[in-house]
Amino acid sequence: PNYAVLSQYYLQTPADLSPNVLKVAQQWTNGATNTYQAMKMLESHLTDPAHFTYSISNPPVPGNIDAVSWLLHTGRGFCTYYATAMTMMARLLGVPARIVNGFNQGHFDAHRKVWEVDGDNAHSWVQVYFPGQGWISFDPTPGFSLDNPTNPQPTQTPGQTPTPARPKPTATATHPTSGTHPTPTSGVGGTGSNTSVLGDTQRQMVFLGISLIILVVALLVLAVAIYRYKFDKLYANASLVSALYWRVSRLASLSGVPPRESQTPYEYTRVLSQRFPRVKEPLWRITHVFVRERWGAQYHSPGAAEEKDIERLWPRIRGTFLRALIFRFHRHVG
């Protein structure tokens, strides 16, 4: 990803943000020789206990002032305040940044010998994008550090199993090691990975794919419904046996075996039986009853029981013809 893509998401700032925020950010980063150093200077100022305090009980932000300016004025707030302040300052300096919400390392339960993470461990910090490095994490909240957790190690008694290593906070990126601090770049560019943008793109592609599948399925269902409606309406005035025979003829035609004008029902059924031997007996049964009903004496017409028996043959014939139709369509498309 390049800076043009990143700036669309991670350089945005509120329109009502006070100009004083940029002035403070410029003052705090004065003398920085690269972007990483500038970000560490922002982090250092916000975590300075002489000027800022971590507090979970804070007065509401007045409606006539933005949250960052309010933090700079009061010098107290919880993690979201500080993460927001550093993110806005970084963006005002032209550096892509984002807030990360997750959990810190939690606390160790010596009795159960497990690390526990609950709602009290919810935390917010900052990630800044560096070309060639990706997203690098910073924690501007006073008393918190991603590298040096503040939770004390539980006291061990002789013979007690050593406490396992404390896990790192979730959803953070790796910090650069000494001597490998990312350096600023001029202009638009960068070859580093952008997990968030890539993840957003992948989610959009998945959503688009699912939407297209749903649309295609909906169109197929609609097409089948329309076809069945027309199919049923076409033979609405015909008897059950006649309707079944004409359905067989129509579906067979779509499957590639249409009747000829010169063929009798028996001749056509002979062709269908050769083409679809698996349903030979049902085809002949329907044809015999159809011919008897259409051209035989009235007392030879099928009764209700025979019609019901004939109707049970239709699903088997329909399935065979539909498979042939799908195969024909696939071969034509391929």
Side-chain angles (χ1 to χ4, degrees), residues 231-275:
F231 205 74
D232 294 338
K233 189 176 181 180
L234 183 64
Y235 308 113
N237 297 324
S239 67
L240 175 63
V241 175
S242 295
L244 285 176
Y245 180 81
W246 296 124
R247 287 177 181 177
V248 169
S249 301
R250 185 173 181 82
L251 198 53
S253 299
L254 294 175
S255 302
V257 191
R260 298 178 182 177
E261 293 184 1
S262 60
Q263 285 178 325
T264 66
Y266 287 131
E267 290 173 336
Y268 183 48
T269 299
R270 186 177 298 108
V271 174
L272 292 179
S273 298
Q274 294 173 352
R275 178 64 176 81

Side-chain angles (χ1 to χ4, degrees), residues 164-184:
R166 179 180 284 105
K168 288 290 184 180
T170 59
T172 60
T174 304
H175 286 272
T177 57
S178 177
T180 61
H181 294 336
T183 55

Side-chain angles (χ1 to χ4, degrees), residues 261-298:
E261 293 184 1
S262 60
Q263 285 178 325
T264 66
Y266 287 131
E267 290 173 336
Y268 183 48
T269 299
R270 186 177 298 108
V271 174
L272 292 179
S273 298
Q274 294 173 352
R275 178 64 176 81
F276 305 103
R278 298 179 61 179
V279 289
K280 177 180 178 180
E281 293 182 4
L283 287 172
W284 278 111
R285 179 73 186 281
I286 291 177
T287 302
H288 285 312
V289 177
F290 169 70
V291 171
R292 177 157 49 89
E293 178 192 66
R294 192 168 182 84
W295 290 287
Q298 186 173 2

Side-chain angles (χ1 to χ4, degrees), residues 103-171:
F103 296 85
N104 60 24
Q105 71 280 349
H107 61 278
F108 182 71
D109 186 329
H111 178 69
R112 297 170 56 202
K113 296 181 176 58
V114 295
W115 284 94
E116 291 186 345
V117 178
D118 52 33
D120 292 335
N121 301 117
H123 190 49
S124 298
W125 59 98
V126 178
Q127 287 186 336
V128 177
Y129 184 80
F130 293 89
Q133 296 288 332
W135 292 98
I136 306 300
S137 297
F138 297 84
D139 196 335
T141 302
F144 288 79
S145 172
L146 296 176
D147 288 324
N148 300 301
T150 58
N151 287 13
Q153 290 276 3
T155 304
Q156 297 183 15
T157 58
Q160 182 179 359
T161 303
T163 302
R166 179 180 284 105
K168 288 290 184 180
T170 59

Side-chain angles (χ1 to χ4, degrees), residues 164-229:
R166 179 180 284 105
K168 288 290 184 180
T170 59
T172 60
T174 304
H175 286 272
T177 57
S178 177
T180 61
H181 294 336
T183 55
T185 58
S186 59
V188 178
T191 58
S193 61
N194 182 357
T195 305
S196 177
V197 174
L198 181 59
D200 291 342
T201 302
Q202 290 176 337
R203 284 191 291 271
Q204 291 174 359
M205 293 300 295
V206 171
F207 177 77
L208 179 60
I210 294 175
S211 301
L212 289 176
I213 292 175
I214 293 175
L215 178 61
V216 171
V217 172
L219 291 176
L220 287 175
V221 171
L222 179 62
V224 170
I226 294 175
Y227 179 78
R228 290 195 62 178
Y229 172 76

